Amino acid sequence: MWISGATALLASTNVLAQSADPKPWQLNMGRGVTTSAQHAYDAHMLALWVCVVIGVLVFGAMAVAMFRFRKSRGVTAAQFSHNTTAEIIWTVVPIVILVLMAVPATQKLIAMYDTRDSEMTVKVTGVQWMWKYEYMGEDVVLTSRLDRESDRLRQSRDTTRAELDAHGHYLLDVDNQLVLPTNTKIRFVVTADDVIHSWWVPAFGWKQDAIPGLVNEAWTEILEPGVYRGQCAELCGKDHGFMPIVVRAVPPEEFQTWLAAEKARNAPAIPVPGEPGPADAAPAPSPDAAPAEAAASATQSPSAPAAPAAG
């Protein structure tokens, strides 16, 4: 089940796919759309180019030694067992390279876990098998689960390939998307209600385990508007492959409009002055007591006008 979901994630290349989605035959990692993803990409590229330079030097030296100084050309191999200068060089140089790589990598790693100065907080709770999102301090709570059409298609034995292709994001769509503002530092607190889950959106450049009884922290700053998809990345039960994550990133102004609409939709109804509330309304009479109550009402209403005489 989780394999089918992961396959769908890697194969999501239709017109609805975002620029951060993986592409067929993609060789390098994606840049992502968040500050954390950019940090990971920069560290990766630094290590990659260092490895490329070392590889070119080492394999270049080996090629020169094998072809220029080969036995068939009459070259006699040097006879020595130790060279102090060479040993110092090939010990000191790797240490210097590792230190030069470790400094920026450590700075970026520390920054990835620094949730200070966040502008908003979202609580993420993993539940078998859905996600619960709570916008802390805003009284807005969403429950996000696999969309009904994907759920119907996956459980029907009569589902055809044409139906799956027509669905767009089969197994990767939800009924309620997590809406977040762009260019805003957002703190996540991640936990679970039952078993261990893992909240993972590849375009964000990080994932965080959701563990019952433990609250983990993470943060993100989405740089580009769009729709970004992920999945639970921890085997959590029989429907683990059907816990998609969909994040819709919008400009801050649009997010505030959406948030205000959600607050208004979830707000309790305010009673109108002068109108009886539910507690003041008289209980409806039972069907058996209706005739007796109607007669009593007629005898106790002297102000009711008499019916006009016939003719």
Side-chain angles (χ1 to χ4, degrees):
M1 291 178 291
W2 66 270
I3 294 177
S4 63
T7 303
L9 179 62
L10 294 175
S12 177
T13 56
N14 52 49
V15 295
L16 298 177
Q18 302 298 312
S19 60
D21 288 342
K23 305 295 188 298
W25 300 100
Q26 178 175 317
L27 298 180
N28 199 7
M29 70 179 292
R31 295 185 65 91
V33 295
T34 67
T35 304
S36 299
Q38 299 288 345
H39 287 168
Y41 180 83
D42 292 341
H44 160 75
M45 293 306 298
L46 174 63
L48 175 64
W49 287 117
V50 169
C51 291
V52 168
V53 172
I54 293 175
V56 169
L57 293 177
V58 171
F59 288 105
M62 291 175 60
V64 170
M66 288 187 293
F67 290 98
R68 185 176 179 182
F69 302 103
R70 62 186 185 273
K71 183 178 180 180
S72 61
R73 297 188 60 180
V75 177
T76 302
Q79 302 293 323
F80 63 90
S81 58
H82 295 284
N83 187 307
T84 303
T85 301
E87 292 177 354
I88 292 175
I89 292 174
W90 68 49
T91 300
V92 173
V93 170
I95 293 176
V96 173
I97 293 174
L98 290 175
V99 171
L100 293 177
M101 293 174 62
V103 171
T106 302
Q107 292 174 340
K108 291 178 172 60
L109 188 63
I110 293 173
M112 288 178 66
Y113 287 93
D114 186 3
T115 61
R116 293 175 297 178
D117 302 323
S118 300
E119 299 175 57
M120 61 177 292
T121 299
V122 176
K123 181 181 178 182
V124 179
T125 305
V127 185
Q128 289 180 320
W129 286 272
M130 66 191 74
W131 297 99
K132 181 180 177 183
Y133 302 118
E134 181 178 353
Y135 295 79
M136 304 299 289
E138 302 291 351
D139 294 328
V140 175
V141 180
L142 300 177
T143 299
S144 179
R145 57 168 62 85
L146 181 68
D147 70 298
R148 296 298 184 263
E149 183 62 12
S150 287
D151 201 35
R152 183 189 69 81
L153 292 174
R154 79 175 181 88
Q155 297 189 69
S156 174
R157 296 185 178 182
D158 300 327
T159 300
T160 63
R161 171 54 59 180
E163 289 180 296
L164 297 181
D165 294 339
H167 183 47
H169 289 101
Y170 173 61
L171 297 183
L172 291 176
D173 222 342
V174 296
D175 54 358
N176 290 312
Q177 299 176 347
L178 174 64
V179 182
L180 297 175
T182 57
N183 301 311
T184 303
K185 186 170 183 178
I186 305 166
R187 173 175 170 256
F188 289 87
V189 288
V190 185
T191 187
D193 270 353
D194 34 48
V195 299
I196 298 177
H197 303 274
S198 187
W199 200 84
W200 175 50
V201 177
F204 289 1
W206 56 269
K207 63 181 176 180
Q208 186 62 266
D209 284 347
I211 303 173
L214 183 66
V215 177
N216 288 323
E217 282 188 316
W219 72 273
T220 195
E221 183 181 6
I222 307 172
L223 305 176
E224 302 175 17
V227 178
Y228 306 105
R229 304 176 189 275
Q231 286 183 301
C232 177
E234 184 71 36
L235 186 61
C236 58
K238 71 179 185 67
D239 283 351
H240 159 70
F242 311 116
M243 284 185 66
I245 301 164
V246 181
V247 178
R248 178 159 58 94
V250 298
E253 299 80 11
E254 184 176 340
F255 172 76
Q256 291 300 329
T257 302
W258 173 88
L259 189 63
E262 285 295 311
K263 287 182 179 180
R265 187 169 66 89
N266 298 328
I270 301 176
V272 178
E275 291 188 1
D280 301 328
S286 62
D288 298 336
E293 291 181 0
S297 175
T299 58
Q300 294 176 6
S301 301
S303 59

